[in-house]
Structures are given as structure tokens and as C-alpha cells.
Amino acid sequence: MLSLSSMLIPAVLFFALGFLAQLIRSDLKFPADLSKALSIYLLVGIGLHGGIELAKVDPAGAIGAVVAALGLGFGLPVIAYFILSWGIRIDRLNAAAIAAHYGSVSAGTFITAIAFLDSIQVPYESYPVIMLAIMESPAIIIGLVLANLARKEQGNGHEKRVSSELVHDAFTNGSVVLLLGGMLIGAIAQPTGLSKILPFYDTMFMGVLSLFLLNMGMEASRRIGDFGKVGPSLLLFGIAMPLGGAAIGLVVGHWGLGFGVGGTMLVAVLAASASYIAVPPAMRLAIPEASPALFLTLSLGITFPFNVIVGIPLYFAAAQWLIR
Amino acid sequence: MLSLSSMLIPAVLFFALGFLAQLIRSDLKFPADLSKALSIYLLVGIGLHGGIELAKVDPAGAIGAVVAALGLGFGLPVIAYFILSWGIRIDRLNAAAIAAHYGSVSAGTFITAIAFLDSIQVPYESYPVIMLAIMESPAIIIGLVLANLARKEQGNGHEKRVSSELVHDAFTNGSVVLLLGGMLIGAIAQPTGLSKILPFYDTMFMGVLSLFLLNMGMEASRRIGDFGKVGPSLLLFGIAMPLGGAAIGLVVGHWGLGFGVGGTMLVAVLAASASYIAVPPAMRLAIPEASPALFLTLSLGITFPFNVIVGIPLYFAAAQWLIR
Amino acid sequence: MLSLSSMLIPAVLFFALGFLAQLIRSDLKFPADLSKALSIYLLVGIGLHGGIELAKVDPAGAIGAVVAALGLGFGLPVIAYFILSWGIRIDRLNAAAIAAHYGSVSAGTFITAIAFLDSIQVPYESYPVIMLAIMESPAIIIGLVLANLARKEQGNGHEKRVSSELVHDAFTNGSVVLLLGGMLIGAIAQPTGLSKILPFYDTMFMGVLSLFLLNMGMEASRRIGDFGKVGPSLLLFGIAMPLGGAAIGLVVGHWGLGFGVGGTMLVAVLAASASYIAVPPAMRLAIPEASPALFLTLSLGITFPFNVIVGIPLYFAAAQWLIR
Amino acid sequence: MKPVKRIEIVIEEIELENVIDELDRIGVVGYTIVPRAGGRGERGVRYENLQGLGNVQLTIACSETQSIKVIEAIRPILKRYGGVCLVSDAMWVIHDS
Amino acid sequence: MKPVKRIEIVIEEIELENVIDELDRIGVVGYTIVPRAGGRGERGVRYENLQGLGNVQLTIACSETQSIKVIEAIRPILKRYGGVCLVSDAMWVIHDS
Amino acid sequence: MKPVKRIEIVIEEIELENVIDELDRIGVVGYTIVPRAGGRGERGVRYENLQGLGNVQLTIACSETQSIKVIEAIRPILKRYGGVCLVSDAMWVIHDS
Ligand SMILES: Nc1ncnc2c1ncn2[C@@H]1O[C@H](COP(=O)(O)O)[C@@H](O)[C@H]1O
Ligand SMILES: Nc1ncnc2c1ncn2[C@@H]1O[C@H](COP(=O)(O)O)[C@@H](O)[C@H]1O
Ligand SMILES: Nc1ncnc2c1ncn2[C@@H]1O[C@H](COP(=O)(O)O)[C@@H](O)[C@H]1O
Ligand code: NA
Ligand code: NA
Ligand code: NA
């Protein structure tokens, strides 16, 4: 029942519409610049909201969230890597690239989770937004470290050192800049001025999300063609990993951070989600030996739809069950 | 007086501004991706509104509208075809291509008509939106059937069968997907969630329309250069056909469907309008022998401006006169 | 204190964020079509607001503003030209091109000034918007006249007459068309219809400005690389000229037009601002011998940031001091 | 470096799908697409627009034998819908990946 | 297939109108435009931007005799505004439409 | 007109920066970029998207000696990331600016 109603929140329905449009081979075109524009708006908007909320709460409280975010950001990709290379036995370099995606987060999934909580009117803590911003980057570093270890073993000369340049790229990533920048502005901007820009970022937020998800549905659907290349065991990983991540997230959110149902569920979503915007180009550059057909299909074609349609209500139900 | 005030609704003024800007050869540029974005927004928005309204009314009542839409969608292109090939005596293939445009509809004209009704605060039925979605496709099929008959007569081998592929394209057209998808979401989405995205699709709707019409005014103006190629009799057709279509639409709306002034006028607008977004590429693919200089100039350069500036207030006055 | 609080209005903070993002070489991309879309929206929006306000006030009162705008538009570039060629002694053609930029205006700076006044809740006259529209063009003509004089002296054959074509381009410039068009529509459109599009142009205005300034911050930051080519004396000009212009604007606004603090400050901003959208391409075409590395770096890289961060609060303080 | 034929095709956006189907049919794997192109020819001016009636520029590097197949496959489409197809010689920098 | 000259011109967006006027003057009908290009040359870096100071890539296939006219018409513009113009040989796939 | 080599490179958007660094290193000043390209090759289909995994088309006109340096600099990148590099002959219309 929860699950069904959640299927029917507009965000999910627009995602499904886009997925379907592509499936029936509609000639519907969604300009790439439009989805870039929408994602800029969404990142700034979620940052602003977060910053405004955070300015109200105890900054000390944020420390726990920061530590948890770093823990998850560095821990999850390592777990994913071992499952992939020892469990599923795919080559180390693809394992490292995929692991980086699952260690990082998907802002789209996070915002959809917030749309879910809003539509069933459940409150949530403001700290998870910081975690979203922090968790973007660490996994990228881990991914490269793992790839270099793998290359060393294989003894091929292509080690690309974790150069300052690469760390720079990971932390000056466009998404991170917009999220942190938005949070800072939300926290320090002069109130009257802020009140003048908020209608833009408030009134339109969920509507813009609906168009963004329409497009992401189309992109997810485009990946289906590569399911063959991915193979059953990896496809299974694309569903098992978010479930495992969510479990860890629930523990961290509830016992680690003492969040309520809303906040705990959001931490689960962060841990369960896989990046499909920031990490793919980073891994393409850092681990060219890895196949985008694998990591994009898993993160965008499997895990993202799974989280949006099944995961979010499921993690919410789990959070309720934990905190009853 | 009605006509003058209608000239002064912002939608029309923005159309005129765009038309003028092009006429005076301003260097004003309107990015193609922006107009694609605006039309995606407008189609989803009109669909959503329609779906919400339709969820409130008796679904049985929709059946009449569906039947009427199919009747108009299949009937109007045939009428147009005979006028063009027997009356104006242009070659059969161009006749078929042009006929398809006039059998289909223009969402831009329909939404401008709604802007007109809103600004003079006249209510209207919700069924015409379904008709808008349904009437997009049939004319495309008819156009091809007519073209094939013509080709057979001319005995040139290029018959392109009304392949399942072509029917597929006609019905999975991007505009249709967005309209029907929006309607479905509007009808079934969970209310709280819907209330969160509506501000985006409500508050901004008429404003977005104003920018869209600014661009359409520019595009219409661009067609003037081809008036020479079109010739006086076809230019006359571009004004006579919408008048004839509107007359049929008034009859169908009033006596056929028993709509009020608003709804009857909208049916007239549907019948009077010619497609300039969905049908041109379909005809370009299906009837390459036909000249875009003819069908685009007629639908976008003549009929669209005529309907927006003269037609809409005229059809409204006629509907008032019918239903006094 | 005024200056600090002004630093903290969101408009300025977003500009700073964009500037910083580029400075730290973030991979943040801002689609060119998006900034074109935002500027179309902002120009129409500011025009509409202006037109609505102007419809309320005494049209006779506008005459003074028009005269003042023409005076500043024709006078400022001449002043700038003499400072550049006699004072700083740069070649005449670059002097002419740069002068044209400083004689014209920056809508972005003007709108940021309005954001500033709104956020400290200071009222302002509606006439300056007309001045904004009028001041776009004259400087372009002056720039070319000066360039031709220079070419005559140098006796090189490349005189490009102030052809009707060029005057045409100056006055049919896209920004001018959108500003004047928006003003006209705001003044004459039917009220109910207008009330339906205003939410779009009101609610979102300051938010859209924030994204536009984010991008302009990035663009300004990009110019830093050319500071070397510009050299210290020209860089100084980029700060001294707006200060001088502002002084003239304050005199014109207060004694010439009898405006209050808000209006006087806006006239100062108009005189202080340098065009970085409309004039660069015009000068590139008219004076190809001039280096974009100079005029773009000065107007977009120096004067625009200076006005947005330091100038606006400064000119406001000066206006307050004048009119206490 | 190995000598190849460089085939440059300009067609309408809406025809691209058909052309790619043809390439698949004759086994041509590689091509580069530059979308949002405009131009002018016998059929008048074309530019990127809402209707998708603009052009795309398609570049194909292939062996001479393949190039002949491509040309034969493309010619009827050009005949029917217009467009241009230019063929020239080039050297392909081999990177044996 | 008939031999033609392939002329490839890169100029600033804002000059395009002038160049097309020149082509009309010398009777060149066909050309292809790729807008939103960027690049670097003597005059520094250019990229698509709000001011329209980016580049466009213009491709013209024409006879040798026409190509000479085009080059003569384009040269002063290149001299004044910068840009490049490359000329090479190509075969035009005829589709006698 | 002077004879030059026309080098046409298609690579992923994200690699562009590295390639330009290489060009700077070997002293190549001029190039033209056509962004937002797509295509297909050994590594499957690519198109402009949110992730910036589309292609860019890079055109370089330079002397034969420079062309050799460019090719040597580009080859390892192509080997590692894929893409194509075509080299052909062209005449550069000199405008001695
Ligand atoms: N001579 C030419 N040189 C370059 N491009 C051409 C030429 N002729 C046609 N084209 C391109 O091919 C498209 C279709 O040509 P057409 O079918 O002749 O109208 C035009 O829009 C141009 O982009
Ligand atoms: N050697 C070259 N190879 C390719 N394109 C070039 C070359 N030189 C210049 N260009 C293009 O022509 C434009 C103008 O060049 P310039 O006038 O030298 O600054 C540049 O922005 C490039 O797009
Ligand atoms: N034979 C070809 N002709 C033209 N472009 C190609 C060819 N092969 C590859 N490309 C381009 O180079 C990109 C990368 O190729 P690849 O690394 O083989 O996947 C593709 O997306 C195409 O844009
Ligand atoms: Na994760
Ligand atoms: Na119709
Ligand atoms: Na000024």
C-alpha cells in the first residue's frame, strides 16, 4: 500500500513516463542542455534549502553527519570492490570503476526521496544534505587507488598516480561546487534578499524535478540495450548492492546519528544510491580500461530505477520498522 | 471591440513582438533548445491540467469527445485534400502533405485560445484537451494514404506502404506522449505530491506561453519569404480552410457535443488549427516529394498567425452567437 | 556595514560563487543556451515591470529621462574616448571600441542594483528603465564615428561609413527589442491577461537573476587570463571610469531629474556600467582592428565585478549622502 | 597510418535513423555525427528548429570497398530527400587498441 | 561522382551574414553550416557565448572555377576578421535529383 | 595558398583538455573545436549527454612537420581512450593578417 501510493507520486510517474517513451521508441527529444540546466537548478536549490535549515540547527550536530558521510564515502566503495572482484569475479579495473559509483551518491535519487517524504508529509533532519555534498567525492579517490593497486598486480605500466590534479578534480566537481555553494549562500545570505529568490527555488522545485526525472527515465531506458553485456550476476549486484548499502545506511542513520524516520531513510538512500552524473566521467578519465557500458548501465539503468520505484518506499518502511 | 481587447492579451502581443523583431531584421536569437524546452513544458502542463479536470468529470462523457475527435481527425484532411487537388489543382502529393497539416491540430493555437478564455474569464469544458491529444495522429495516416493513392495513379514506384512502422511513428509522436502522459499523471497521481508540482505548471504556464509565442512569431515571420512560392490561391486556402474548419468545429462542439460557449469555441479552434510541429517532419519523411516551403508556410506562416490574431476572437464571437 | 550586507545579497553571492568556481578550475559547465535563455527572460521581465509602472505615471515626466539618457549615451563614450586616447594613450581604434562599451549600459548590473534596492527595501522611480533601453544604442554609433575619424587620420582606406545598415543594427539590437517590446506590452496589455503572465515574470525574477549572475561570475573570472594584455593603466581605467560615470549619473539623477535616492542611484549605475552583451559583437563587426581581449576584459572582467560588488553599495551611499 | 576513404554526408536530422540502419545493414560500424547543422541547397535554407528539420553532418572513415557500398546505399536516400555526400582520401592514424 | 573543391571556412558567428551575402553575390547556392564551434588562433581562444563571439564552420562543395571566386571573396574578410579557409579535393556523389 | 595537413580528431569531450595541453606542449596554436558531437565506434554509441560523455571534433591545419608531432602526441591518447584521427592534404588560403 505504501509502495503503491509511492509509485503514484508525480516524480516516480514522470520517471516512468520517460522510461516508457523510450521503450516504445517515441521520437520525443529532450535537449541535453535542458537536463544540464535542470540539474544545475536542482543542485543549487537543494543546497540552498539545506543551508537555510542548517543555519537554524546546532552546527556541532553536523560533525557526526560529516564523520558518517566520510565513513560511508570511503567504506562503501571498498565493500563494493570486494564483492565485485572476489564475489562476482569481474576484472579489477571494472570492479574499481563500478565500486566508485556505488560509493558515491545520486542527488537525483536523494531529491526524489525528499519528494516522497514531502508527499506523505514526513519530516526529516537537515544534516543529510551535508552528507550528500560530502559523499560525492571520496569514492572517486578510492576508485582510483583500487585501480592502481589492480594495475600494479597486473604489472602494466599505466599507473596514474592519485595526483593532486585528480584529487582536485574530485573535490572541485561541478555538482559539489553547486551543492556546497548553495548551502553556504543559504546559510549566510541576507534574509530579505534570500526571501526574494526563494520563490524561484521553492515554488518550482518539485516541478523541475518532474521534468528532470522524465529525462532520466529516458536515459535509464536507453541503457536496457546493454543489459546483455552486463550479465545476470552484475545485474543482480545492481539490486543487491543498494539493498546492502541501505541496510548500512539505516544502521548509521538510526543508531549512529540518532535520526528520526525521515532522516534515517535519507541516510539509507544516500548509501543505497549510485552516482550516474559526477562519477562516470571521472572514472572514464581515471580508468579508461573500464567499460562505461558496465558502470553506466548498472548505476543509471538498474540501481537508479530500482531505488526510485522500489527502494525509496522500502527503505522508508524499514526506517519506520526500526524506529517504532 | 472583443477582437481588439483580444489583440491585447499578452500571448498575442508577444507573438506580434516576435513577428515584428524578425520583420525589422533584429539580431535577436532564440535558442532552438529553448523553444524545445518550452514546448515540452507546455504539452506536459496542458496535459496535467486536462487530466486533473477529467478525473473530476464523468468518463462516459469523454466518449463523445473521443468519437468527435476521430471524426474530425479523419474527415478534415480528406476535405482539405479535395479542395486542394480539385479546387486549387495543386499536385496530389503536395495536396496530401498540406491536408495532413490541416487535419491535425496546433497545441500552440489551442493553448492561446485557453489564454484568451482565461483572460476574459469564460469557463470551458475539459474534454477538448482529450480531443487535442487524439487529433494529432489520424491526419498523418490519412496524408500518407492519400499520397499513396496519388503515387499509384502516377504509377511511380515509390509507394511507401502504410507500414506498421509509420502508424507507430504517428501514435508515439513526442507531442502525443507528453500530452497523454501528462493527462494520465494528472488523473492518477497522489494528490499531495501533485499539489507540490502544480505551482510549477500553474504559476508559470501563461508566462512560458508568452516566451513560446515570442519565438513562434519569429518563426512565422521567417516564412514570409516563401509567400511567392505559395501563390495567392494557396495563401487564400490558408485562411479559408481554418474558417471552414472552425464552422465544422462549431457545429460539432455545439450540437454534436453540447458544449458551452468556451468548449464549443475550443472545438472550433482544434478544427481550424493546422499542425506546425508534429506533422511537418512526419510529412517530410513520408512524402519527400512535397515541398516544406508550401506546407510550413501555410500552417506556420499563414494559418497560425490568422488563428491567433483574428480566428480565436472570431470563433469565440461565433460560439456566443450560436449559444445565445 | 551597508557594503557588507550588500555583499551578502544572494545576487552578489551567486556572482562570487561563479567567479570562484572558475578560479578553482571546477569542471562546472553552464550551457551557453541557458544564459541566452536567462537573459531573454530578464530583459523581457525588466521591460514588463517598467512598462507597467510607466503606465501609472505621468508620461510627460519621461521626457526628461529620455533626454538625459540620450545625453549620457552620446556624451559618456566621448569622455571615455578622450581619456583613453589622450590620457592612457592607447591607439585610437581600441579607444573607440572601449569607449562604446562604457557609453552603453549593462542590464545585468542594472537589475542587480534593483535586487540591491529591493533587498534593503528602498523605493525607486520607474523612469530609469526607459533610460536603460535608450542608452543601449547611441554609444555604438559614437564608437564607429570615432573609429572612422581615427582611420581617416591614419589614412587607411578601411572607413566603414556609418551606413544606414549599421544604425539599423544598433537600434534593432536584440536587447533593445526585448526591453522596448516588454515595456510596450506591460503598458498596453489587457489587465486580466497580464495578471496571468506576471507570476512567471515576478515570482521567478530574482531567482533567475541568481543563476544568470552565477554564469556571469564564471565568464568574468575567465577574463583574468587577459589582465596581462590589458596592462595596469587600462585596468585602472576599468575602475576609474565607472566611478567618474557614477558621479555624472548622480548629478544627472539628483539635480537633472530630481529623482529620490533609489532613482538617483539607478542613474548612477547606468552611467557607471559598461555593456558586455550587446556592444562587444557590434564593435567586433564595426572595428575589427580593436582587440576583444581589451574591451571584453575591461567591461566583463573588471568593471562589471567592480560595480556589482563595490560600486552598487557605494553609489547608493553617495546618493543617500546627496539627498539627506 | 592506413589510407581510408573519408565520406562526409549532410542530410536532414529526421533521416539520420534510416541512414544508420543502412550502415548497419552493410556492416559499417564507425561514424561521427555533428548534429544541429544548417545550410542551403536546392531545397532552400535549413536550420535547427523545433520541427527537427535541420541538418546533421555524418563523417565515415572506411576502406575503399566499404565506401562503395556506403555510396550505393546512400545515393537513393539523397535522391529522395536531398543532401550531399562528399568522398575524399585520408590517412587513418592507427592506434591498435 | 564528379570532382569538386571542398572549401572549409571557420569564421566568427557574427560574420556569417556577410559571408553568405558574398556567396549570393558570386552565385554559390549550396553550403553547410556547423554553428556553435570554438577554437584558437592568432586572435586567441573563441567559444560559443552570450555575445555570439564563437565560431561557425562553413563547408562549401563547388567547381574549381567557383572555388576561385569564393576564395577571392573570402580572403579580405579573413584578412579583416581572422579565421581560416582550407581547400581540398573531393568527389561529389551525384544523385541527379 | 600554402599546402598544409588537415588533421581531424574525434575524441570524448572529457579528454579535450588533455589534448589541448598536448598541442600547447608541441607548440600548435591553431585549432577548431566542434562540440556536442556523437558517433559510434569500437566503444559503442556516444551522444551528447548530462555526463559529458559525448564527442568533440577537433580540426587542426598545420605544417607536415608539426602534423607528425601532433600524431605522435595524439596516438597514445587514442590508444587509451579511443577515438579517430584522420590526416589529409589541403591548401590554406593565406590572408597574411
Ligand atoms: N554545394 C554544397 N556544399 C555544401 N553543402 C551543401 C551543398 N549543397 C547542399 N548542401 C547541404 O545539403 C543540404 C541539403 O541540400 P539540398 O537537398 O540540395 O537542399 C543543404 O541544407 C546543405 O546543408
Ligand atoms: N591552424 C588552425 N587550424 C584549425 N583552425 C584554426 C587554425 N587557426 C585558426 N583556426 C580557427 O579560426 C579561428 C580564428 O582564427 P584567428 O583569426 O587566427 O584567431 C580560430 O578560433 C579557430 O577556430
Ligand atoms: N570509422 C569511423 N569513422 C568516423 N568516426 C569514427 C569511426 N570510428 C570511430 N569514430 C568516432 O570516434 C569515436 C570513438 O570511437 P571508438 O573509440 O572506436 O569507440 C566514435 O564515437 C565516433 O564518433
Ligand atoms: Na552510495
Ligand atoms: Na485542424
Ligand atoms: Na555606461
Side-chain angles (χ1 to χ4, degrees):
Chain A
M1 149 263 157
L2 216 188
S3 174
L4 176 67
S5 93
S6 84
M7 295 278 308
L8 295 181
I9 73 168
V12 177
L13 292 171
F14 274 94
F15 181 85
L17 177 60
F19 199 94
L20 189 75
Q22 194 63 34
L23 218 54
I24 61 174
R25 305 198 338 284
S26 163
D27 71 343
L28 175 61
K29 301 238 177 346
F30 200 97
D33 280 354
L34 177 54
S35 48
K36 286 176 193 169
L38 298 180
S39 68
I40 290 174
Y41 169 92
L42 290 170
L43 289 166
V44 172
I46 192 73
L48 272 177
H49 287 123
I52 293 170
E53 293 309 316
L54 287 167
K56 298 183 193 151
V57 300
D58 166 23
I63 294 165
V66 172
V67 174
L70 291 171
L72 291 168
F74 285 105
L76 285 168
V78 175
I79 297 171
Y81 178 74
F82 284 109
I83 296 172
L84 288 161
S85 48
W86 270 273
I88 303 176
R89 303 201 156 292
I90 65 167
D91 69 283
R92 304 290 173 85
L93 293 172
N94 273 305
I98 297 171
H101 287 73
Y102 283 84
S104 185
V105 289
S106 152
T109 313
F110 183 81
I111 297 174
T112 308
I114 284 179
F116 173 83
L117 291 174
D118 286 352
S119 55
I120 59 174
Q121 282 140 318
V122 171
Y124 45 89
E125 285 77 6
S126 52
Y127 300 114
V129 179
I130 314 180
M131 302 177 68
L132 171 69
I134 293 171
M135 287 176 70
E136 288 264 355
S137 316
I140 297 174
I141 313 293
I142 299 296
L144 193 81
V145 174
L146 293 168
N148 284 339
L149 293 175
R151 292 195 185 107
K152 281 227 185 52
E153 290 186 13
Q154 298 168 13
N156 81 29
H158 271 317
E159 283 104 57
K160 185 171 183 176
R161 290 177 305 344
V162 184
S163 57
S164 62
E165 180 203 342
L166 192 109
V167 178
H168 165 274
D169 290 357
F171 288 101
T172 59
N173 176 291
S175 316
V176 177
V177 168
L178 292 175
L179 271 171
L180 290 179
M183 280 169 59
L184 192 69
I185 293 176
I188 69 172
Q190 174 249 34
T192 325
L194 205 53
S195 69
K196 298 248 189 279
I197 68 165
L198 274 187
F200 174 66
Y201 291 105
D202 272 338
T203 320
M204 290 170 52
F205 195 78
M206 289 304 166
V208 170
L209 177 66
S210 70
L211 285 185
F212 180 75
L213 288 176
L214 176 71
N215 182 226
M216 288 304 106
M218 294 167 69
E219 292 297 323
S221 189
R222 280 216 182 88
R223 309 305 315 175
I224 291 178
D226 285 341
F227 276 18
K229 293 183 194 157
V230 175
S233 51
L234 265 185
L235 292 178
L236 187 66
F237 172 86
I239 290 173
M241 185 66 203
L243 288 173
I248 297 172
L250 288 167
V251 172
V252 172
H254 178 42
W255 284 288
L257 299 165
F259 288 165
V261 172
T264 301
M265 178 261 215
L266 289 177
V267 178
V269 167
L270 287 172
S273 72
S275 167
Y276 56 80
I277 297 180
V279 176
M283 285 302 108
R284 178 74 188 120
L285 265 177
I287 316 179
E289 305 92 333
S291 160
L294 296 190
F295 56 69
L296 262 183
T297 305
L298 280 173
S299 63
L300 182 53
I302 300 289
T303 301
F304 182 51
F306 174 77
N307 279 330
V308 164
I309 293 166
V310 181
I312 288 174
L314 186 67
Y315 311 150
F316 176 75
Q320 273 185 315
W321 177 84
L322 267 185
I323 310 166
R324 74 200 165 299
Chain B
M1 148 262 155
L2 214 186
S3 174
L4 175 67
S5 91
S6 83
M7 296 277 308
L8 295 181
I9 73 169
V12 177
L13 292 171
F14 274 95
F15 181 85
L17 178 60
F19 199 94
L20 189 74
Q22 193 64 33
L23 218 54
I24 61 173
R25 306 194 340 278
S26 163
D27 71 342
L28 174 61
K29 299 235 180 346
F30 201 97
D33 280 354
L34 176 55
S35 47
K36 286 174 192 168
L38 299 179
S39 67
I40 290 173
Y41 169 92
L42 290 170
L43 288 166
V44 172
I46 192 74
L48 272 177
H49 287 122
I52 293 170
E53 293 309 315
L54 286 167
K56 298 181 192 155
V57 298
D58 167 22
I63 295 164
V66 171
V67 174
L70 291 171
L72 290 168
F74 285 107
L76 285 168
V78 175
I79 296 171
Y81 179 75
F82 284 109
I83 296 172
L84 288 162
S85 49
W86 271 272
I88 303 176
R89 305 198 154 295
I90 65 167
D91 68 283
R92 304 291 174 81
L93 292 173
N94 273 305
I98 297 171
H101 287 72
Y102 283 85
S104 184
V105 289
S106 152
T109 313
F110 183 82
I111 296 173
T112 308
I114 283 179
F116 172 83
L117 291 174
D118 286 351
S119 55
I120 58 173
Q121 283 141 317
V122 171
Y124 45 88
E125 285 78 5
S126 52
Y127 300 115
V129 180
I130 315 180
M131 301 177 69
L132 172 68
I134 292 171
M135 287 176 71
E136 289 262 356
S137 315
I140 297 175
I141 313 294
I142 298 297
L144 193 81
V145 174
L146 293 168
N148 284 339
L149 294 175
R151 291 194 186 107
K152 281 226 186 53
E153 287 185 15
Q154 297 168 17
N156 81 30
H158 271 317
E159 283 104 59
K160 185 170 183 176
R161 289 179 306 343
V162 184
S163 57
S164 61
E165 180 203 342
L166 190 109
V167 178
H168 165 274
D169 290 356
F171 287 102
T172 60
N173 176 291
S175 316
V176 176
V177 168
L178 292 176
L179 271 171
L180 290 180
M183 280 168 59
L184 191 69
I185 294 175
I188 68 172
Q190 175 248 36
T192 325
L194 204 53
S195 69
K196 297 250 190 275
I197 67 164
L198 274 187
F200 174 67
Y201 291 105
D202 273 339
T203 320
M204 289 171 52
F205 195 78
M206 289 303 164
V208 170
L209 176 66
S210 70
L211 284 187
F212 180 75
L213 288 175
L214 176 72
N215 183 227
M216 288 305 105
M218 294 168 68
E219 292 297 323
S221 189
R222 278 214 182 89
R223 309 303 316 173
I224 292 178
D226 285 341
F227 277 18
K229 291 182 194 155
V230 176
S233 50
L234 265 184
L235 292 178
L236 186 66
F237 172 85
I239 291 174
M241 186 66 203
L243 290 172
I248 297 171
L250 288 167
V251 171
V252 172
H254 179 43
W255 285 288
L257 299 165
F259 288 165
V261 171
T264 301
M265 177 261 214
L266 289 177
V267 178
V269 167
L270 287 172
S273 72
S275 167
Y276 56 81
I277 296 180
V279 177
M283 286 302 108
R284 178 74 189 119
L285 265 177
I287 315 179
E289 305 90 334
S291 160
L294 297 189
F295 57 68
L296 262 184
T297 305
L298 280 173
S299 63
L300 182 53
I302 301 288
T303 301
F304 182 50
F306 174 76
N307 279 329
V308 164
I309 293 168
V310 180
I312 288 174
L314 186 66
Y315 311 149
F316 176 76
Q320 274 185 315
W321 177 84
L322 266 185
I323 310 168
R324 73 200 166 301
Chain C
M1 147 264 159
L2 215 187
S3 174
L4 176 66
S5 91
S6 83
M7 296 278 307
L8 296 181
I9 73 170
V12 178
L13 292 171
F14 274 94
F15 181 84
L17 177 59
F19 199 93
L20 189 75
Q22 193 64 33
L23 218 54
I24 60 174
R25 305 193 341 278
S26 163
D27 70 344
L28 174 61
K29 297 236 179 348
F30 200 97
D33 280 355
L34 177 55
S35 46
K36 286 175 194 170
L38 298 179
S39 67
I40 290 173
Y41 169 92
L42 290 170
L43 288 165
V44 173
I46 193 74
L48 271 177
H49 287 122
I52 293 169
E53 293 310 315
L54 287 166
K56 297 181 194 154
V57 299
D58 167 22
I63 294 165
V66 172
V67 174
L70 292 171
L72 290 169
F74 284 106
L76 285 168
V78 176
I79 297 171
Y81 179 74
F82 283 110
I83 296 173
L84 289 162
S85 48
W86 270 273
I88 303 176
R89 305 200 154 289
I90 65 167
D91 68 283
R92 306 290 173 83
L93 293 173
N94 273 306
I98 296 170
H101 287 73
Y102 283 85
S104 184
V105 290
S106 152
T109 313
F110 183 81
I111 296 173
T112 308
I114 284 179
F116 173 82
L117 291 174
D118 287 351
S119 56
I120 58 173
Q121 283 140 317
V122 170
Y124 45 89
E125 285 77 6
S126 52
Y127 300 113
V129 180
I130 314 181
M131 301 177 70
L132 172 69
I134 293 170
M135 286 176 71
E136 289 263 355
S137 315
I140 296 174
I141 312 293
I142 299 296
L144 192 82
V145 174
L146 293 168
N148 284 339
L149 294 175
R151 292 194 185 108
K152 281 226 185 53
E153 288 183 14
Q154 298 168 14
N156 80 30
H158 271 318
E159 285 103 56
K160 186 172 182 177
R161 290 181 301 347
V162 184
S163 57
S164 61
E165 180 203 340
L166 191 108
V167 178
H168 166 273
D169 290 357
F171 288 101
T172 60
N173 175 290
S175 316
V176 176
V177 168
L178 292 176
L179 272 170
L180 291 179
M183 280 168 59
L184 192 69
I185 293 175
I188 69 172
Q190 176 247 34
T192 325
L194 205 52
S195 69
K196 298 249 188 277
I197 68 166
L198 274 187
F200 174 67
Y201 290 106
D202 273 338
T203 320
M204 288 169 54
F205 196 78
M206 288 303 165
V208 170
L209 177 66
S210 70
L211 284 186
F212 181 75
L213 288 175
L214 176 71
N215 182 229
M216 288 305 105
M218 294 168 69
E219 292 297 323
S221 191
R222 279 213 182 91
R223 309 302 317 173
I224 291 177
D226 285 341
F227 276 18
K229 292 182 194 155
V230 175
S233 50
L234 266 183
L235 292 178
L236 186 67
F237 173 85
I239 290 173
M241 185 65 204
L243 289 172
I248 296 171
L250 288 166
V251 172
V252 172
H254 179 44
W255 284 290
L257 299 166
F259 289 165
V261 171
T264 301
M265 177 262 214
L266 289 177
V267 178
V269 167
L270 287 172
S273 71
S275 167
Y276 56 80
I277 297 180
V279 177
M283 286 301 109
R284 178 73 187 123
L285 266 176
I287 317 179
E289 305 91 334
S291 160
L294 297 190
F295 57 68
L296 262 183
T297 304
L298 281 173
S299 63
L300 182 53
I302 301 287
T303 301
F304 182 50
F306 174 76
N307 279 330
V308 163
I309 293 167
V310 181
I312 288 173
L314 186 66
Y315 310 150
F316 176 76
Q320 274 185 316
W321 176 85
L322 267 184
I323 310 168
R324 72 203 167 298
Chain D
M1 304 208 290
K2 75 161 188 272
V4 292
K5 288 291 178 184
R6 178 184 185 274
I7 307 178
E8 182 177 9
I9 303 168
V10 178
I11 46 164
E12 261 168 312
E13 209 179 308
I14 50 172
E15 298 157 46
L16 184 60
E17 212 178 310
N18 301 341
V19 171
I20 291 176
D21 292 346
E22 285 299 313
L23 295 180
D24 291 340
R25 198 175 52 69
I26 60 182
V28 170
V29 176
Y31 57 81
T32 294
I33 297 170
V34 172
R36 300 144 176 255
R40 189 175 69 182
E42 296 163 7
R43 288 161 191 71
V45 173
R46 292 185 192 164
Y47 56 95
E48 191 201 5
N49 56 22
L50 198 53
Q51 293 88 5
L53 296 175
N55 290 325
V56 297
Q57 194 181 46
L58 196 65
T59 309
I60 303 165
C62 61
S63 68
E64 176 142 26
T65 42
Q66 268 189 318
S67 73
I68 293 161
K69 288 194 207 149
V70 173
I71 293 165
E72 285 327 306
I74 255 50
R75 191 176 263 123
I77 298 179
L78 295 176
K79 193 176 164 56
R80 207 162 147 72
Y81 292 98
V84 283
C85 176
L86 302 177
V87 182
S88 58
D89 294 307
M91 299 301 291
W92 184 331
V93 176
I94 299 161
H95 53 273
D96 43 61
S97 70
Chain E
M1 302 209 292
K2 74 164 190 272
V4 291
K5 289 291 176 183
R6 178 183 186 274
I7 307 177
E8 182 177 10
I9 302 168
V10 178
I11 47 164
E12 262 168 311
E13 210 178 308
I14 50 172
E15 297 156 49
L16 184 60
E17 214 178 310
N18 302 340
V19 171
I20 290 175
D21 293 345
E22 285 299 313
L23 295 180
D24 292 338
R25 197 175 53 69
I26 61 182
V28 171
V29 175
Y31 57 81
T32 294
I33 297 170
V34 173
R36 302 144 174 254
R40 188 173 70 181
E42 296 164 8
R43 288 162 192 68
V45 174
R46 293 185 192 163
Y47 56 95
E48 192 202 4
N49 55 23
L50 198 53
Q51 294 88 4
L53 295 175
N55 290 326
V56 298
Q57 195 181 46
L58 196 65
T59 309
I60 303 166
C62 60
S63 68
E64 176 142 25
T65 42
Q66 269 190 318
S67 74
I68 293 161
K69 287 193 209 151
V70 173
I71 292 164
E72 286 327 305
I74 254 51
R75 192 177 261 125
I77 298 178
L78 295 176
K79 192 177 165 53
R80 206 162 149 70
Y81 293 98
V84 282
C85 176
L86 302 177
V87 183
S88 57
D89 295 307
M91 298 300 291
W92 185 331
V93 176
I94 298 161
H95 54 275
D96 43 62
S97 68
Chain F
M1 302 208 292
K2 73 162 192 272
V4 291
K5 288 291 178 183
R6 178 184 185 274
I7 307 177
E8 183 178 9
I9 303 167
V10 178
I11 47 164
E12 260 168 314
E13 209 178 309
I14 51 171
E15 296 157 48
L16 184 59
E17 213 179 310
N18 301 340
V19 171
I20 291 175
D21 292 346
E22 285 299 313
L23 295 180
D24 292 338
R25 197 175 53 69
I26 61 181
V28 170
V29 175
Y31 57 81
T32 294
I33 298 170
V34 172
R36 304 144 174 254
R40 188 174 71 182
E42 296 166 8
R43 287 161 191 73
V45 174
R46 292 186 192 164
Y47 56 94
E48 193 202 3
N49 56 22
L50 197 54
Q51 294 88 4
L53 296 175
N55 290 326
V56 298
Q57 195 181 45
L58 196 64
T59 309
I60 303 166
C62 61
S63 67
E64 176 142 27
T65 41
Q66 268 190 317
S67 73
I68 293 161
K69 288 194 208 150
V70 173
I71 292 165
E72 285 327 304
I74 254 51
R75 191 178 261 124
I77 298 180
L78 294 176
K79 193 176 164 55
R80 205 160 151 72
Y81 293 99
V84 282
C85 176
L86 302 177
V87 182
S88 57
D89 295 307
M91 298 301 289
W92 184 332
V93 176
I94 297 160
H95 54 273
D96 42 63
S97 68

